[in-house]
Amino acid sequence: MKLMTSIAALLALAAPALAQDASPEERQAQSRVTEIAGPEPRLVQTPEGQPPSDAVVLFDGSNMEAWESVDGGPAGWSVEDGAMRVTRGSGDIRTTDSFCDVQLHVEWRSPANNEGHDGQDRGNSGIFLQSRYEVQVLDSHQNPTYANGQAGSIYKQHLPLVNASRAPEEWQSYDIIFQAPVFADDGTLRRPAHVTVLHNGVVVQNHAQIQGATEWIGYPSYKAHDCAPIQLQDHDADVSFRNIWVRPM
Ligand code: MG
């Protein structure tokens, strides 16, 4: 804020108020004071229905080469009809690459509720940013549960602003903008993580401050870490994922 104030003061010195009768040339010159010459933002191609040209594609429907089991070894989930699906009991999977600040696009689908589950047992999965901070995946279509545990929540920390859920068996999307936490050299937290989430194009988290690593029991806290993989949860439900890409920022 102080820096902004001093920049504003410098601009005021450099740009004294013009007389009413300033010439067009003088006004043109004055307008340049607040222009920023560059660097010119680099070009990104955004073809309809495809990831942006600078995205890292994590799953295009064909294979799980970008993923591994959190227990080591290959990811134990199945790939079918352009989607990957949780194999119950095979465990969470994570990207082989690590990430810090990202824009992340994920599409997911809850299974039909043939087994009569409700609450947290219906279509539970999750997207763990940096393997720690969970954006909840749940079938929250006509399925009440605690508010900070439904789809679009930052699990046990922030309830979603609205419930934008579609019915089970329909594809849904998350677009996530994640600002990783920053730690000092001695491991203390200098800046907490923040996250913005769009669920099916609707804002459900608006720059929410993450309070620490996701906990089921107890309160979250931070422990210093580096960039880390994106992790998907096996929570004993047949949740599917497709079209996953990330843009490190
Ligand atoms: Mg979950």
Side-chain angles (χ1 to χ4, degrees):
M1 186 54 82
K2 272 186 181 163
L3 180 64
M4 292 298 289
T5 306
S6 54
I7 289 172
L10 281 172
L11 286 175
L13 283 173
L18 280 175
Q20 292 273 336
D21 57 354
S23 69
E25 291 75 18
E26 286 169 324
R27 292 177 63 77
Q28 191 70 44
Q30 196 70 17
S31 78
R32 294 198 188 101
V33 172
T34 47
E35 290 179 2
I36 297 174
E40 187 177 341
R42 64 186 165 78
L43 287 173
V44 175
Q45 308 298 327
T46 56
E48 182 77 32
Q50 291 179 45
S53 58
D54 64 346
V56 177
V57 176
L58 297 175
F59 181 69
D60 68 0
S62 60
N63 66 73
M64 297 192 62
E65 281 171 9
W67 300 84
E68 63 185 7
S69 165
V70 297
D71 303 318
W77 296 13
S78 64
V79 177
E80 202 176 308
D81 298 331
M84 62 160 89
R85 194 177 67 192
V86 174
T87 300
R88 296 193 210 180
S90 68
D92 293 4
I93 63 170
R94 67 184 173 205
T95 54
T96 54
D97 286 339
S98 291
F99 300 96
C100 284
D101 294 358
V102 293
Q103 173 187 352
L104 173 65
H105 176 86
V106 177
E107 296 175 21
W108 55 274
R109 182 178 61 187
S110 307
N113 187 29
N114 296 327
E115 297 172 69
H117 292 310
D118 58 14
Q120 293 290 308
D121 292 331
R122 191 188 294 180
N124 197 332
S125 184
I127 298 159
F128 283 78
L129 301 157
Q130 297 196 307
S131 304
R132 290 166 176 80
Y133 313 110
E134 184 183 13
V135 179
Q136 173 72 309
V137 169
L138 195 77
D139 176 3
S140 286
H141 177 75
Q142 300 174 357
N143 179 33
T145 185
Y146 44 93
N148 61 358
Q150 69 181 70
S153 67
I154 306 307
Y155 184 73
K156 289 282 184 88
Q157 297 189 24
H158 294 284
L159 54 152
L161 297 170
V162 295
N163 182 350
S165 296
R166 294 177 182 153
E169 297 192 283
E170 289 188 41
W171 282 102
Q172 312 198 46
S173 66
Y174 279 162
D175 287 284
I176 298 170
I177 299 161
F178 176 71
Q179 187 181 48
V182 177
F183 299 94
D185 288 342
D186 67 0
T188 55
L189 180 68
R190 274 172 52 187
R191 190 190 67 201
H194 289 81
V195 68
T196 294
V197 180
L198 283 76
H199 183 187
N200 298 327
V202 172
V203 176
V204 293
Q205 301 290 343
N206 183 10
H207 198 60
Q209 182 174 309
I210 294 178
Q211 295 150 12
T214 297
E215 298 285 356
W216 177 41
I217 299 170
Y219 294 93
S221 62
Y222 277 104
K223 272 200 189 114
H225 62 82
D226 293 326
C227 300
I230 295 163
Q231 190 167 316
L232 300 180
Q233 186 182 40
D234 166 13
H235 200 287
D236 206 30
D238 299 332
V239 179
S240 300
F241 294 87
R242 72 177 184 188
N243 196 19
I244 307 174
W245 52 260
V246 66
R247 295 184 61 248
M249 294 188 289

